[in-house]
Amino acid sequence: MNKKVLSVLVDNTSGVLNRVAGLFSRRGYNIDSLTVGVTQDPRYSRMTIVTGDDDIIEQIIKQIEKLVDVNKVEVLEDNNSVCRELILTKVKTTPEQRQQVMAVADIFRAKIVDVGIDSLIIELTG
C-alpha cells in the first residue's frame, strides 16, 4: 500500500482539526500522520495528512473538500515533495551513563536537544 500525503489549506479557526479528524474517523479511514501549523497568513493553517488508503484517496479528497473551512486540497506527489521522519525520544540516564548514550546517538547522527538531571532528549531525522 502506497502512502499518500495530502496538503490541506484550512481556515485558522477553532474546531477545524476536530472536523477533519472526525471525517476520517466516521468514514473508517486511517490517518498515519497529521501535522498542523499556521501559514504566513495567520487567517489560514496548513494540515499535512499522511494516509495509507491509496485505493480510496479520491473519495477522501472529495469528502475533505466538502467541509466548510477547507480552502484547498492537494496530493503531494513523490517526485515533487520531500518527506522526512522525525523521532524525539527521552532516554533516562545517570550522569555516569550520559557519555555512552551520547556516543550511541552520535553513531546514528542523532542530536541531543535537551539535557536534564536524569535524562536526555534525542532527535533523529531521516
Side-chain angles (χ1 to χ4, degrees):
M1 185 181 302
N2 191 14
K3 297 196 186 292
K4 292 293 184 181
V5 180
L6 301 177
S7 176
V8 184
L9 186 66
V10 298
D11 293 337
N12 190 13
T13 57
S14 62
V16 175
L17 174 60
N18 189 33
R19 285 189 284 282
V20 172
L23 178 136
F24 276 78
S25 176
R26 284 189 308 276
R27 302 280 192 255
Y29 304 148
N30 190 34
I31 296 175
D32 293 327
S33 175
L34 175 64
T35 306
V36 183
V38 178
T39 63
Q40 197 171 11
D41 184 346
R43 296 177 298 164
Y44 303 106
S45 291
R46 176 150 330 266
M47 301 177 77
T48 305
I49 304 169
V50 179
T51 183
D53 297 324
D54 192 25
D55 51 340
I56 55 173
I57 194 69
E58 294 302 321
Q59 183 68 25
I60 291 172
I61 292 170
K62 288 176 185 175
Q63 294 294 320
I64 292 173
E65 286 176 335
K66 288 181 184 178
L67 295 175
V68 174
D69 296 318
V70 173
N71 296 305
K72 185 177 180 183
V73 179
E74 287 183 84
V75 177
L76 301 180
E77 300 298 332
D78 291 339
N79 57 351
N80 290 333
S81 59
V82 176
C83 294
R84 305 278 293 177
E85 295 285 337
L86 168 68
I87 299 171
L88 286 173
T89 186
K90 187 174 188 177
V91 179
K92 187 175 181 179
T93 180
T94 63
E96 296 80 30
Q97 298 170 324
R98 189 168 288 149
Q99 286 294 38
Q100 292 172 318
V101 172
M102 291 171 76
V104 171
D106 191 46
I107 290 171
F108 294 100
R109 292 187 215 116
K111 296 178 187 174
I112 308 298
V113 293
D114 186 56
V115 178
I117 296 171
D118 60 349
S119 66
L120 297 170
I121 296 181
I122 301 172
E123 172 189 84
L124 182 63
T125 59

